[in-house]
Protein backbone atom coordinates (compact mmCIF):
# COMPACT_ATOMS: atom_id res chain seq x y z
CA UNK A 1 0.00 0.00 0.00
CA UNK A 2 1.20 3.49 -0.78
CA UNK A 3 1.20 6.51 1.45
CA UNK A 4 -2.22 8.02 1.04
CA UNK A 5 -3.00 11.73 0.92
CA UNK A 6 -5.65 13.19 3.23
CA UNK A 7 -9.10 11.79 2.47
CA UNK A 8 -10.96 13.59 -0.29
CA UNK A 9 -13.62 16.08 0.63
CA UNK A 10 -16.35 14.48 -1.45
CA UNK A 11 -17.41 10.89 -1.41
CA UNK A 12 -19.70 8.87 -3.56
CA UNK A 13 -22.69 7.38 -1.81
CA UNK A 14 -21.42 4.04 -0.53
CA UNK A 15 -24.41 2.46 1.05
CA UNK A 16 -26.76 1.54 -0.38
CA UNK A 17 -24.87 1.02 -3.63
CA UNK A 18 -25.71 3.90 -5.99
CA UNK A 19 -28.14 3.24 -8.79
CA UNK A 20 -27.37 4.27 -12.34
CA UNK A 21 -29.68 7.23 -11.82
CA UNK A 22 -27.63 8.32 -8.80
CA UNK A 23 -24.53 8.00 -10.90
CA UNK A 24 -25.91 10.09 -13.70
CA UNK A 25 -27.02 12.73 -11.21
CA UNK A 26 -23.61 12.74 -9.57
CA UNK A 27 -21.87 13.07 -12.89
CA UNK A 28 -24.25 15.80 -14.04
CA UNK A 29 -23.70 17.72 -10.80
CA UNK A 30 -19.97 17.48 -11.14
CA UNK A 31 -19.77 18.21 -14.87
CA UNK A 32 -19.39 21.94 -14.30
CA UNK A 33 -16.38 21.26 -12.15
CA UNK A 34 -15.05 18.80 -14.70
CA UNK A 35 -15.37 21.32 -17.52
CA UNK A 36 -13.75 24.00 -15.45
CA UNK A 37 -10.72 21.92 -14.53
CA UNK A 38 -10.25 19.84 -17.64
CA UNK A 39 -8.75 22.22 -20.21
CA UNK A 40 -5.81 23.32 -18.11
CA UNK A 41 -4.88 19.76 -17.28
CA UNK A 42 -5.98 17.75 -20.25
CA UNK A 43 -2.96 17.40 -22.42
CA UNK A 44 0.40 15.96 -21.63
CA UNK A 45 3.64 17.86 -22.00
CA UNK A 46 4.17 19.01 -25.58
CA UNK A 47 6.09 16.84 -27.98
CA UNK A 48 9.85 17.10 -27.56
CA UNK A 49 9.94 18.65 -31.02
CA UNK A 50 13.69 18.29 -31.21
CA UNK A 51 14.44 16.64 -34.52
CA UNK A 52 16.99 13.92 -34.12
CA UNK A 53 16.65 13.88 -30.33
CA UNK A 54 17.82 10.51 -29.05
CA UNK A 55 15.01 8.08 -28.42
CA UNK A 56 13.12 5.04 -29.64
CA UNK A 57 10.60 4.96 -32.49
CA UNK A 58 7.82 3.72 -30.18
CA UNK A 59 8.55 6.12 -27.33
CA UNK A 60 7.44 9.74 -27.44
CA UNK A 61 9.79 11.43 -24.98
CA UNK A 62 13.50 11.94 -25.62
CA UNK A 63 15.76 9.27 -24.15
CA UNK A 64 19.19 10.88 -23.78
CA UNK A 65 22.00 8.36 -23.17
CA UNK A 66 23.05 10.04 -19.93
CA UNK A 67 19.59 9.19 -18.49
CA UNK A 68 18.58 5.94 -20.20
CA UNK A 69 19.88 2.64 -21.53
CA UNK A 70 17.77 1.46 -24.47
CA UNK A 71 16.69 -2.18 -24.34
CA UNK A 72 14.53 -3.23 -27.30
CA UNK A 73 11.25 -1.29 -27.08
CA UNK A 74 12.12 -0.23 -23.52
CA UNK A 75 14.25 2.43 -21.83
CA UNK A 76 15.95 1.75 -18.50
CA UNK A 77 16.62 4.62 -16.10
CA UNK A 78 20.30 5.03 -15.20
CA UNK A 79 20.59 5.00 -11.43
CA UNK A 80 23.60 7.29 -11.63
CA UNK A 81 21.30 9.94 -13.12
CA UNK A 82 18.95 9.73 -10.13
CA UNK A 83 21.65 11.09 -7.83
CA UNK A 84 20.66 14.65 -8.69
CA UNK A 85 16.92 14.01 -8.39
CA UNK A 86 14.64 13.99 -5.37
CA UNK A 87 12.43 11.30 -3.89
CA UNK A 88 10.19 11.32 -6.98
CA UNK A 89 11.46 10.28 -10.40
CA UNK A 90 11.00 13.18 -12.82
CA UNK A 91 9.08 12.17 -15.96
CA UNK A 92 12.22 13.01 -17.94
CA UNK A 93 14.02 10.17 -16.09
CA UNK A 94 11.19 7.63 -15.64
CA UNK A 95 11.76 4.20 -17.25
CA UNK A 96 9.53 3.14 -20.13
CA UNK A 97 8.41 -0.45 -20.59
CA UNK A 98 6.37 -0.85 -23.78
CA UNK A 99 5.25 -4.18 -25.24
CA UNK A 100 4.60 -2.35 -28.52
CA UNK A 101 4.65 1.42 -28.80
CA UNK A 102 3.18 4.50 -27.16
CA UNK A 103 -0.18 5.47 -28.69
CA UNK A 104 -0.82 9.23 -28.86
CA UNK A 105 -4.41 9.32 -27.64
CA UNK A 106 -6.80 12.27 -27.44
CA UNK A 107 -8.62 12.57 -24.13
CA UNK A 108 -11.69 13.95 -25.95
CA UNK A 109 -12.17 10.61 -27.73
CA UNK A 110 -11.25 8.50 -24.73
CA UNK A 111 -13.88 6.35 -23.04
CA UNK A 112 -13.54 3.78 -20.32
CA UNK A 113 -15.92 0.86 -20.78
CA UNK A 114 -16.52 -1.50 -17.88
CA UNK A 115 -18.23 -4.69 -19.01
CA UNK A 116 -18.70 -8.39 -18.31
CA UNK A 117 -20.88 -10.92 -16.53
CA UNK A 118 -19.60 -9.64 -13.18
CA UNK A 119 -21.74 -6.51 -13.48
CA UNK A 120 -25.28 -6.54 -12.15
CA UNK A 121 -27.59 -6.71 -15.16
CA UNK A 122 -24.47 -7.28 -17.29
CA UNK A 123 -24.89 -3.88 -18.91
CA UNK A 124 -21.64 -2.14 -19.96
CA UNK A 125 -20.87 1.13 -18.21
CA UNK A 126 -18.98 3.96 -19.89
CA UNK A 127 -17.19 7.03 -18.53
CA UNK A 128 -15.61 9.98 -20.35
CA UNK A 129 -12.36 11.62 -19.26
CA UNK A 130 -14.25 14.56 -17.76
CA UNK A 131 -16.54 12.22 -15.85
CA UNK A 132 -13.59 10.24 -14.48
CA UNK A 133 -11.91 13.48 -13.39
CA UNK A 134 -15.07 14.61 -11.65
CA UNK A 135 -15.04 11.60 -9.31
CA UNK A 136 -13.39 12.02 -5.90
CA UNK A 137 -9.62 12.12 -6.39
CA UNK A 138 -6.94 10.31 -4.43
CA UNK A 139 -3.20 11.00 -4.48
CA UNK A 140 -0.54 8.39 -3.67
CA UNK A 141 3.22 8.26 -3.93
CA UNK A 142 4.36 4.86 -5.06
CA UNK A 143 6.78 3.08 -7.33
CA UNK A 144 5.99 1.24 -10.52
CA UNK A 145 8.59 -1.50 -10.91
CA UNK A 146 8.91 -4.05 -13.68
CA UNK A 147 8.68 -7.68 -12.55
CA UNK A 148 11.96 -8.30 -14.36
CA UNK A 149 13.87 -5.43 -12.77
CA UNK A 150 17.35 -6.73 -11.85
CA UNK A 151 16.99 -9.69 -14.26
CA UNK A 152 20.50 -9.36 -15.73
CA UNK A 153 22.03 -10.23 -12.34
CA UNK A 154 20.64 -13.78 -12.54
CA UNK A 155 23.20 -14.19 -15.33
CA UNK A 156 26.05 -11.89 -14.33
CA UNK A 157 26.02 -12.74 -10.63
CA UNK A 158 24.52 -16.22 -10.35
CA UNK A 159 25.55 -17.77 -13.69
CA UNK A 160 21.87 -18.55 -14.41
CA UNK A 161 20.87 -16.25 -17.29
CA UNK A 162 17.13 -15.67 -17.73
CA UNK A 163 15.14 -14.83 -20.87
CA UNK A 164 13.70 -11.33 -21.27
CA UNK A 165 14.84 -7.72 -21.14
CA UNK A 166 18.25 -7.56 -19.43
CA UNK A 167 17.42 -4.82 -16.91
CA UNK A 168 20.02 -3.88 -14.35
CA UNK A 169 18.16 -2.06 -11.53
CA UNK A 170 16.60 0.87 -13.41
CA UNK A 171 13.26 -0.71 -14.31
CA UNK A 172 11.62 1.31 -11.55
CA UNK A 173 10.37 4.83 -10.92
CA UNK A 174 8.57 6.58 -8.07
CA UNK A 175 5.83 9.10 -8.77
CA UNK A 176 2.97 10.92 -7.16
CA UNK A 177 -0.12 9.54 -8.88
CA UNK A 178 -3.50 11.25 -8.77
CA UNK A 179 -6.71 9.74 -10.02
CA UNK A 180 -10.00 8.11 -9.20
CA UNK A 181 -10.31 4.96 -7.16
CA UNK A 182 -10.91 1.90 -9.31
CA UNK A 183 -13.25 0.72 -6.56
CA UNK A 184 -15.48 3.77 -7.06
CA UNK A 185 -15.69 3.14 -10.80
CA UNK A 186 -16.40 -0.57 -10.29
CA UNK A 187 -19.17 0.23 -7.83
CA UNK A 188 -20.64 2.80 -10.21
CA UNK A 189 -20.54 0.16 -12.93
CA UNK A 190 -22.45 -2.21 -10.63
CA UNK A 191 -19.86 -4.84 -9.77
CA UNK A 192 -21.64 -7.82 -8.29
CA UNK A 193 -20.68 -9.74 -5.17
CA UNK A 194 -19.72 -12.82 -7.17
CA UNK A 195 -17.17 -11.05 -9.42
CA UNK A 196 -13.78 -12.73 -9.01
CA UNK A 197 -11.55 -11.09 -11.62
CA UNK A 198 -11.22 -7.59 -13.05
CA UNK A 199 -9.13 -7.21 -16.22
CA UNK A 200 -8.03 -3.77 -17.46
CA UNK A 201 -6.84 -3.68 -21.08
CA UNK A 202 -4.64 -1.13 -22.83
CA UNK A 203 -5.38 0.78 -26.03
CA UNK A 204 -1.88 0.22 -27.42
CA UNK A 205 -1.49 -2.11 -30.41
CA UNK A 206 -1.96 -5.86 -29.96
CA UNK A 207 1.20 -7.63 -28.83
CA UNK A 208 2.57 -10.05 -31.42
CA UNK A 209 5.45 -12.36 -30.50
CA UNK A 210 6.89 -15.13 -32.69
CA UNK A 211 4.01 -14.67 -35.12
CA UNK A 212 1.34 -15.14 -32.43
CA UNK A 213 -1.09 -12.28 -31.80
CA UNK A 214 -1.75 -12.19 -28.06
CA UNK A 215 -4.19 -9.29 -28.29
CA UNK A 216 -3.96 -6.06 -26.37
CA UNK A 217 -1.94 -5.91 -23.15
CA UNK A 218 -4.19 -7.00 -20.29
CA UNK A 219 -3.86 -8.87 -17.03
CA UNK A 220 -6.54 -9.90 -14.56
CA UNK A 221 -6.54 -8.57 -11.02
CA UNK A 222 -8.43 -10.42 -8.29
CA UNK A 223 -11.60 -8.44 -7.47
CA UNK A 224 -10.39 -8.05 -3.88
CA UNK A 225 -7.25 -6.16 -4.99
CA UNK A 226 -9.19 -4.16 -7.60
CA UNK A 227 -11.57 -3.00 -4.86
CA UNK A 228 -8.73 -2.22 -2.45
CA UNK A 229 -6.12 0.42 -3.34
CA UNK A 230 -5.95 0.54 -7.14
CA UNK A 231 -6.04 3.95 -8.87
CA UNK A 232 -7.17 5.02 -12.32
CA UNK A 233 -4.48 7.69 -12.59
CA UNK A 234 -4.66 10.76 -14.82
CA UNK A 235 -1.83 12.75 -13.21
CA UNK A 236 1.81 11.94 -12.53
CA UNK A 237 3.92 14.28 -10.37
CA UNK A 238 1.29 17.03 -10.56
CA UNK A 239 0.85 17.12 -14.35
CA UNK A 240 -1.31 15.15 -16.79
CA UNK A 241 0.09 11.69 -17.46
CA UNK A 242 2.73 11.83 -20.19
CA UNK A 243 1.95 9.91 -23.39
CA UNK A 244 4.55 7.22 -22.62
CA UNK A 245 3.21 6.56 -19.14
CA UNK A 246 -0.40 6.00 -20.14
CA UNK A 247 -2.12 9.24 -21.18
CA UNK A 248 -4.94 9.86 -20.69
CA UNK A 249 -5.50 7.23 -17.97
CA UNK A 250 -3.52 4.31 -16.57
CA UNK A 251 -4.07 1.81 -13.81
CA UNK A 252 -1.70 2.04 -10.83
CA UNK A 253 -1.62 -1.08 -8.66
CA UNK A 254 0.41 -0.24 -5.55
CA UNK A 255 3.13 -2.76 -4.56
CA UNK A 256 2.40 -5.13 -7.45
CA UNK A 257 4.62 -5.96 -10.42
CA UNK A 258 4.55 -3.25 -13.12
CA UNK A 259 2.54 -5.34 -15.60
CA UNK A 260 -0.51 -4.93 -13.34
CA UNK A 261 -0.42 -1.16 -13.89
CA UNK A 262 -1.99 -1.16 -17.37
CA UNK A 263 -1.26 2.03 -19.33
CA UNK A 264 -3.71 3.66 -21.77
CA UNK A 265 -6.57 1.72 -20.21
CA UNK A 266 -9.63 1.57 -22.49
CA UNK A 267 -11.82 -1.11 -20.99
CA UNK A 268 -12.13 -3.28 -17.94
CA UNK A 269 -13.74 -6.70 -17.96
CA UNK A 270 -15.42 -7.80 -14.74
CA UNK A 271 -15.93 -11.54 -14.54
CA UNK A 272 -17.55 -14.13 -12.29
CA UNK A 273 -14.97 -16.64 -13.53
CA UNK A 274 -11.17 -16.48 -13.46
CA UNK A 275 -9.77 -14.70 -16.52
CA UNK A 276 -6.63 -15.49 -18.45
CA UNK A 277 -4.28 -13.65 -20.76
CA UNK A 278 -0.69 -14.19 -21.85
CA UNK A 279 0.31 -12.01 -18.91
CA UNK A 280 -0.94 -14.35 -16.16
CA UNK A 281 -0.32 -17.70 -17.89
CA UNK A 282 2.90 -17.98 -19.93
CA UNK A 283 4.42 -14.79 -18.53
CA UNK A 284 4.60 -13.31 -15.04
CA UNK A 285 4.63 -16.68 -13.26
CA UNK A 286 7.72 -18.38 -11.87
CA UNK A 287 8.97 -21.38 -13.86
CA UNK A 288 12.02 -23.50 -13.12
CA UNK A 289 13.39 -26.32 -11.01
CA UNK A 290 12.18 -24.80 -7.73
CA UNK A 291 8.60 -24.36 -9.00
CA UNK A 292 5.72 -26.68 -9.93
CA UNK A 293 5.78 -28.01 -13.54
CA UNK A 294 3.01 -25.61 -14.60
CA UNK A 295 4.71 -22.71 -12.88
CA UNK A 296 3.82 -20.76 -9.76
CA UNK A 297 0.60 -18.83 -9.31
CA UNK A 298 0.64 -15.53 -11.23
CA UNK A 299 3.05 -13.20 -9.48
CA UNK A 300 1.54 -10.30 -7.60
CA UNK A 301 3.67 -8.29 -5.17
CA UNK A 302 7.12 -6.97 -6.01
CA UNK A 303 10.07 -7.69 -3.72
CA UNK A 304 12.96 -5.89 -1.94
CA UNK A 305 16.00 -4.25 -3.58
CA UNK A 306 18.80 -1.69 -3.24
CA UNK A 307 20.76 0.26 -5.83
CA UNK A 308 23.77 2.57 -5.78
CA UNK A 309 23.47 5.84 -7.70
CA UNK A 310 26.65 5.10 -9.61
CA UNK A 311 27.31 3.56 -13.02
CA UNK A 312 28.24 -0.14 -12.97
CA UNK A 313 32.03 -0.09 -13.24
CA UNK A 314 32.32 3.50 -11.95
CA UNK A 315 35.85 4.80 -11.39
CA UNK A 316 36.55 6.49 -8.05
CA UNK A 317 39.70 8.32 -7.09
CA UNK A 318 41.63 6.65 -4.26
CA UNK A 319 42.85 8.47 -1.15
CA UNK A 320 39.92 10.85 -0.77
CA UNK A 321 36.45 10.65 0.74
CA UNK A 322 33.45 10.06 -1.50
CA UNK A 323 29.85 10.57 -0.51
CA UNK A 324 28.09 7.61 -2.11
CA UNK A 325 24.30 7.51 -2.42
CA UNK A 326 21.65 4.97 -3.24
CA UNK A 327 18.05 3.89 -2.76
CA UNK A 328 16.33 0.86 -1.22
CA UNK A 329 12.72 -0.25 -1.44
CA UNK A 330 10.44 -3.10 -0.45
CA UNK A 331 6.91 -3.77 -1.64
CA UNK A 332 6.02 -5.48 1.62
CA UNK A 333 6.78 -2.76 4.15
CA UNK A 334 8.80 0.42 4.75
CA UNK A 335 12.59 0.02 4.74
CA UNK A 336 13.95 -0.35 8.29
CA UNK A 337 17.64 0.01 7.57
CA UNK A 338 20.25 -0.43 4.87
CA UNK A 339 23.64 -2.07 5.44
CA UNK A 340 26.46 -1.28 3.05
CA UNK A 341 29.83 -2.85 2.35
CA UNK A 342 32.60 -1.18 0.36
CA UNK A 343 34.97 -4.17 0.52
CA UNK A 344 33.00 -6.80 -1.38
CA UNK A 345 31.02 -7.99 1.65
CA UNK A 346 33.77 -8.47 4.27
CA UNK A 347 32.62 -5.60 6.49
CA UNK A 348 29.21 -3.96 6.77
CA UNK A 349 27.92 -0.75 8.33
CA UNK A 350 24.67 1.17 8.39
CA UNK A 351 23.95 3.74 5.69
CA UNK A 352 22.47 7.12 6.69
CA UNK A 353 18.84 7.35 5.60
CA UNK A 354 17.94 10.57 3.79
CA UNK A 355 14.17 9.99 3.82
CA UNK A 356 11.81 8.81 6.49
CA UNK A 357 10.95 5.36 5.10
CA UNK A 358 7.43 5.04 3.77
CA UNK A 359 5.42 2.13 2.51
CA UNK A 360 5.14 1.92 -1.27
CA UNK A 361 8.13 4.02 -2.22
CA UNK A 362 11.89 4.00 -1.93
CA UNK A 363 14.18 5.42 0.74
CA UNK A 364 17.31 7.35 -0.24
CA UNK A 365 20.54 6.77 1.73
CA UNK A 366 24.19 7.76 1.75
CA UNK A 367 27.53 6.59 3.06
CA UNK A 368 31.08 7.92 3.00
CA UNK A 369 33.92 5.89 1.53
CA UNK A 370 37.61 6.70 1.40
CA UNK A 371 39.09 4.00 -0.85
CA UNK A 372 42.70 3.11 -0.21
CA UNK A 373 43.82 0.27 -2.47
CA UNK A 374 43.65 0.86 -6.22
CA UNK A 375 41.99 -1.68 -8.49
CA UNK A 376 38.62 -3.37 -8.97
CA UNK A 377 36.17 -3.97 -6.13
CA UNK A 378 32.49 -4.28 -5.30
CA UNK A 379 30.01 -2.12 -3.41
CA UNK A 380 27.12 -3.95 -1.74
CA UNK A 381 23.90 -2.62 -0.22
CA UNK A 382 21.40 -4.78 1.66
CA UNK A 383 17.98 -3.55 2.75
CA UNK A 384 15.89 -4.82 5.65
CA UNK A 385 12.23 -3.83 5.87
CA UNK A 386 10.02 -3.41 8.93
CA UNK A 387 8.33 -6.76 8.19
CA UNK A 388 11.72 -8.44 8.67
CA UNK A 389 12.46 -9.11 4.99
CA UNK A 390 16.19 -8.91 4.21
CA UNK A 391 17.83 -9.07 0.80
CA UNK A 392 19.36 -12.56 0.47
CA UNK A 393 22.81 -13.31 -1.01
CA UNK A 394 21.18 -15.11 -3.99
CA UNK A 395 17.71 -15.35 -5.53
CA UNK A 396 16.19 -18.77 -6.30
CA UNK A 397 16.27 -18.74 -10.11
CA UNK A 398 13.25 -18.76 -12.40
CA UNK A 399 13.57 -19.12 -16.17
CA UNK A 400 12.05 -15.72 -16.98
CA UNK A 401 14.08 -13.89 -14.38
CA UNK A 402 11.37 -12.24 -12.29
CA UNK A 403 11.56 -10.86 -8.76
CA UNK A 404 15.34 -10.65 -8.34
CA UNK A 405 15.93 -9.63 -4.73
CA UNK A 406 19.52 -10.62 -3.97
CA UNK A 407 22.20 -8.15 -2.87
CA UNK A 408 23.82 -6.80 -6.03
CA UNK A 409 27.61 -6.78 -6.24
CA UNK A 410 28.13 -3.38 -7.85
CA UNK A 411 31.50 -3.32 -9.64
CA UNK A 412 33.71 -0.24 -9.17
CA UNK A 413 37.37 0.57 -9.83
CA UNK A 414 39.56 2.67 -7.60
CA UNK A 415 42.03 4.71 -9.67
N1 LIG B 1 -1.08 -1.02 -22.08
C1 LIG B 1 0.10 -1.36 -21.58
N2 LIG B 1 0.29 -1.27 -20.25
C2 LIG B 1 1.48 -1.60 -19.70
C3 LIG B 1 2.53 -2.09 -20.51
C4 LIG B 1 2.33 -2.14 -21.91
O1 LIG B 1 3.22 -2.50 -22.70
N3 LIG B 1 1.10 -1.77 -22.41
N4 LIG B 1 3.71 -2.48 -19.89
C5 LIG B 1 3.59 -2.87 -18.49
C6 LIG B 1 4.84 -3.13 -17.83
S1 LIG B 1 5.54 -4.65 -18.12
C7 LIG B 1 5.39 -2.25 -16.94
S2 LIG B 1 6.78 -2.64 -16.07
C8 LIG B 1 4.80 -0.90 -16.73
C9 LIG B 1 5.82 0.17 -17.08
O2 LIG B 1 5.30 1.45 -16.86
P1 LIG B 1 6.04 2.74 -17.42
O3 LIG B 1 6.35 2.51 -18.88
O4 LIG B 1 5.14 3.89 -17.18
O5 LIG B 1 7.33 2.88 -16.65
O6 LIG B 1 3.64 -0.71 -17.51
C10 LIG B 1 2.82 -1.84 -17.69
N5 LIG B 1 1.62 -1.46 -18.36
MO1 LIG C 1 7.24 -4.94 -16.64
Amino acid sequence: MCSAAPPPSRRLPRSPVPTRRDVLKLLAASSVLATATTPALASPAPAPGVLGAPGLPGVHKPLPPELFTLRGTNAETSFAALRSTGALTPVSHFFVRNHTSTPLLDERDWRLTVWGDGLRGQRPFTLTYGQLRSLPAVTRTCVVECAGNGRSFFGSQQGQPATGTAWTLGGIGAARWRGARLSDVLRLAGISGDAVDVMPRGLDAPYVADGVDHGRVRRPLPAAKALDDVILAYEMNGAPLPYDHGFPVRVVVPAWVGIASIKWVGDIEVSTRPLQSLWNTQSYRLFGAAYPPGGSAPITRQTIKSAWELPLGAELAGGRAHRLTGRSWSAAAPVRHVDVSTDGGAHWHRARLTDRPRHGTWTRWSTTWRPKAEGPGHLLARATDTAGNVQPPTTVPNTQGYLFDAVVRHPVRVV
Side-chain angles (χ1 to χ4, degrees):
M1 180 149 343
C2 292
S3 3
S9 49
R10 289 187 303 128
R11 281 177 180 276
L12 292 178
R14 281 293 166 84
S15 170
V17 177
T19 64
R20 262 157 217 274
R21 254 191 41 233
D22 293 336
V23 174
L24 294 177
K25 273 203 307 222
L26 173 83
L27 292 173
S30 55
S31 66
V32 176
L33 185 89
T35 325
T37 55
T38 299
L41 288 164
S43 37
V50 187
L51 268 174
L56 281 173
V59 175
H60 183 257
K61 69 184 180 185
L63 302 168
E66 54 292 5
L67 304 188
F68 294 99
T69 304
L70 307 186
R71 304 195 185 280
T73 55
N74 316 298
E76 173 171 358
T77 301
S78 298
F79 250 90
L82 294 183
R83 190 177 156 94
S84 57
T85 67
L88 301 181
T89 311
V91 164
S92 56
H93 293 54
F94 207 99
F95 85 106
V96 180
R97 185 348 184 183
N98 279 355
H99 281 76
T100 60
S101 57
T102 294
L104 305 186
L105 303 177
D106 185 329
E107 79 284 2
R108 289 167 299 186
D109 305 330
W110 182 84
R111 299 285 182 278
L112 178 66
T113 304
V114 186
W115 59 281
D117 74 352
L119 297 184
R120 284 194 309 276
Q122 304 192 13
R123 265 190 305 153
F125 174 77
T126 299
L127 277 174
T128 65
Y129 184 72
Q131 288 170 331
L132 185 79
R133 292 199 62 129
S134 72
L135 297 178
V138 286
T139 306
R140 285 168 185 274
T141 296
C142 65
V143 300
V144 169
E145 183 183 8
C146 190
N149 195 25
R151 177 181 286 129
S152 66
F153 299 107
F154 280 107
S156 63
Q157 207 164 277
Q158 303 192 174
Q160 297 152 325
T163 57
T165 304
W167 304 104
T168 58
L169 289 170
I172 181 171
R176 197 155 166 74
W177 308 98
R178 183 166 184 269
R181 292 186 189 86
L182 176 58
S183 61
D184 284 345
V185 170
L186 291 174
R187 291 200 176 95
L188 288 173
I191 188 171
S192 70
D194 54 0
V196 298
D197 269 352
V198 169
M199 182 154 71
R201 178 164 56 170
L203 291 165
D204 42 339
Y207 175 64
V208 180
D210 302 326
V212 181
D213 184 341
H214 296 280
R216 294 182 190 271
V217 178
R218 64 201 187 284
R219 189 176 199 252
L221 281 169
K225 179 68 175 174
L227 290 168
D228 180 15
D229 56 357
V230 179
I231 304 172
L232 289 169
Y234 42 73
E235 278 183 29
M236 179 177 181
N237 295 343
L241 275 186
Y243 286 122
D244 297 309
H245 301 292
F247 182 82
V249 179
R250 85 176 295 168
V251 178
V252 173
V253 182
W256 281 35
V257 288
I259 185 62
S261 293
I262 295 294
K263 303 192 278 190
W264 314 293
V265 59
D267 72 281
I268 302 178
E269 179 177 359
V270 182
S271 172
T272 58
R273 273 170 302 181
L275 294 173
Q276 292 194 329
S277 74
L278 168 72
W279 295 272
N280 72 336
T281 56
Q282 287 146 267
S283 301
Y284 301 99
R285 303 171 85 116
L286 307 176
F287 297 94
Y291 297 98
S296 71
I299 56 176
T300 58
R301 206 166 67 187
Q302 252 293 0
T303 180
I304 182 168
K305 288 189 190 67
S306 300
W308 296 85
E309 293 172 341
L310 274 178
L312 293 168
E315 295 197 340
L316 293 153
R320 68 173 191 83
H322 297 270
R323 181 175 177 269
L324 304 179
T325 59
R327 298 173 190 238
S328 297
W329 59 97
S330 168
V335 166
R336 186 201 295 280
H337 54 245
V338 179
D339 295 306
V340 292
S341 169
T342 53
D343 59 5
H347 302 90
W348 294 85
H349 63 273
R350 287 279 143 88
R352 285 181 297 272
L353 302 188
T354 312
D355 302 309
R356 186 172 59 84
R358 289 199 293 162
H359 198 179
T361 193
W362 49 26
T363 301
R364 291 174 294 168
W365 45 259
S366 70
T367 192
T368 307
W369 183 37
R370 182 187 286 276
K372 289 173 202 93
E374 285 186 9
H378 288 98
L379 303 178
L380 280 64
R382 180 179 62 208
T384 300
D385 73 19
T386 61
N389 299 299
V390 187
Q391 289 187 252
T394 55
T395 302
V396 175
N398 64 90
T399 56
Q400 296 179 40
Y402 299 123
L403 303 182
F404 188 86
D405 61 353
V407 174
V408 168
R409 300 177 60 82
H410 186 122
V412 291
R413 174 173 290 277
V414 178
V415 292

